[in-house]
Amino acid sequence: KIEVADVTGGKSEENCPGALVFTLHDQEVRLDVIDDAEANDFFLIFKDSTSGKDTYGGGRFLHVPRPNDLGEVQIDFNRAYNPPCALTSFATCPRTPAENRLPVPVLAGERQYRGASDFHRAMHHPAIPAKPEAARLAVSLHGLPVEPDCRDHDRPSALRRQ
């Protein structure tokens, strides 16, 4: 389980079947996943070093497929999107768990809206990648194995991608 707080101060315990551990910008990083049984995939809430600057300060959301037959997960940061709180103050959104705050930039996915024209573009073209280099990011992260434990961050693992 992983505890996820929301912007109102409420908290929920979500099912966390594991974590994705991979190297990004020469740093090993880790993202704990939430099991989304309704969508039959994994759900990520994450922040990175672009949060609050180029991307929404509260973090972004991303759905990734469940592991394939080899136990690997494909992650495509081009599909990262802003939560509803980026668009309206009337939404209640989860806060990014401390475990999912990356010290490196994720230069892919939706960016921060800067005004009405950005909002209009996002509503009509939500899948447009943020920058051309975003496509390279997705290719470099294919086939990530899932670590079985969400809480024990110091445990050595043979499942880490080098």
Side-chain angles (χ1 to χ4, degrees):
K1 298 281 184 182
I2 185 172
E3 186 175 273
V4 179
D6 67 38
V7 295
T8 67
K11 294 180 182 176
S12 65
E13 288 277 322
E14 302 294 335
N15 186 23
C16 178
L20 301 176
V21 178
F22 54 96
T23 301
L24 184 60
H25 302 295
D26 297 323
Q27 286 193 30
E28 184 176 272
V29 295
R30 174 191 178 106
L31 290 171
D32 287 354
V33 298
I34 295 171
D35 185 24
D36 189 342
E38 188 175 305
N40 196 29
D41 65 11
F42 293 148
F43 179 61
L44 296 171
I45 307 166
F46 73 95
K47 281 186 175 186
D48 63 277
S49 66
T50 68
S51 297
K53 300 170 195 148
D54 295 328
T55 61
Y56 179 64
R60 292 182 282 170
F61 294 170
L62 179 63
H63 286 267
V64 297
R66 292 184 183 278
N68 62 21
D69 292 339
L70 300 174
E72 297 175 332
V73 172
Q74 179 177 325
I75 185 169
D76 184 352
F77 281 110
N78 290 305
R79 298 187 177 277
Y81 62 97
N82 291 325
C85 293
L87 306 173
T88 178
S89 59
F90 298 106
T92 302
C93 293
R95 294 193 183 276
T96 303
E99 298 88 349
N100 288 2
R101 295 178 185 161
L102 304 177
V104 294
V106 173
L107 302 173
E110 275 191 313
R111 305 307 255 190
Q112 183 165 292
Y113 304 127
R114 305 237 186 269
S117 63
D118 277 357
F119 176 76
H120 177 77
R121 181 184 62 79
M123 292 294 95
H124 292 90
H125 307 285
I128 296 174
K131 291 186 173 183
E133 69 263 26
R136 288 197 310 270
L137 186 59
V139 172
S140 68
L141 297 178
H142 285 195
L144 298 175
V146 178
E147 272 199 353
D149 189 0
C150 296
R151 298 226 178 221
D152 190 0
H153 292 273
D154 296 324
R155 182 179 55 78
S157 172
L159 299 176
R160 296 175 191 268
R161 181 179 171 123
Q162 301 301 326

